[in-house]
Amino acid sequence: MSDCIFCKIIQGVLPKYKVYEDEDVVAFLDIHPVSVGHTLVVPKKHYLDLVNAPPEVAANLMAITQKIAPSIMEAVGATAFNLALNNGAQAGQVVNHVHLHIIPRFADDGLRLWPAKEVKPTELEDTVKKIRTLVV
Ligand code: AMP
Ligand code: ZN
């Protein structure tokens, strides 16, 4: 994709802080990190998002994450990490080339996950019915 920033990074047109590379995947530091060591795991082929990527590509992103996340944590002294994927604009996806975020975490780093809601069991029942009729 000619106008995709990650394709340009993969092609070497734009610079990157490369953490890992193989035939299919490249991982590089996020230029606006949530925490030190924040790494993006990106397939070399362009796919819009998770749903539009072949299952084997999605599975490989996870496999590479398993491989490199412990080294990233060790390098920056993290004790944990969050794995994030923003799927679609309303979920915060800005770069339309599927990628995983490895976000190293530290004790008392002050980062918060999403706020959870209180819901009635009937709401959960309604929701699960709607989903189940569509999931095959
Ligand atoms: P997302 O919001 O899930 O699409 O994430 C896109 C991420 O790409 C953001 O966290 C950006 O900071 C990051 N990003 C954008 N341009 C670059 C770049 N040239 N090199 C590294 N990371 C980038
Ligand atoms: Zn791309």
Side-chain angles (χ1 to χ4, degrees):
M1 276 250 162
S2 58
D3 59 346
C4 172
I5 196 165
F6 284 180
C7 283
K8 285 182 182 150
I9 288 172
I10 289 158
Q11 288 155 11
V13 178
L14 290 175
K16 61 183 170 298
Y17 297 91
K18 187 171 78 182
V19 166
Y20 171 86
E21 182 172 13
D22 65 24
E23 209 180 314
D24 303 309
V25 173
V26 63
F28 49 86
L29 294 183
D30 194 305
I31 41 163
H32 298 299
V34 172
S35 63
V36 61
H38 181 167
T39 298
L40 304 172
V41 186
V42 187
K44 286 187 174 174
K45 271 189 157 178
H46 181 98
Y47 300 103
L48 172 65
D49 60 15
L50 181 68
V51 175
N52 285 281
E56 60 273 18
V57 170
N60 196 36
L61 291 183
M62 196 60 84
I64 298 302
T65 297
Q66 283 184 314
K67 185 184 170 87
I68 67 175
S71 302
I72 294 169
M73 284 199 297
E74 186 179 341
V76 300
T79 47
F81 67 94
N82 287 113
L83 187 60
L85 188 154
N86 300 325
N87 203 87
Q90 291 70 35
Q93 184 174 6
V94 173
V95 177
N96 293 323
H97 180 137
V98 65
H99 54 281
L100 292 175
H101 295 250
I102 300 173
I103 301 172
R105 297 297 303 269
F106 306 83
D108 303 320
D109 62 15
L111 293 176
R112 297 210 175 267
L113 297 179
W114 304 286
K117 290 179 186 165
E118 290 298 323
V119 292
K120 297 190 184 92
T122 52
E123 288 178 62
L124 296 175
E125 280 160 22
D126 287 350
T127 304
V128 82
K129 267 185 210 157
K130 283 181 199 160
I131 295 171
R132 277 206 204 141
T133 57
L134 296 173
V135 170
V136 285

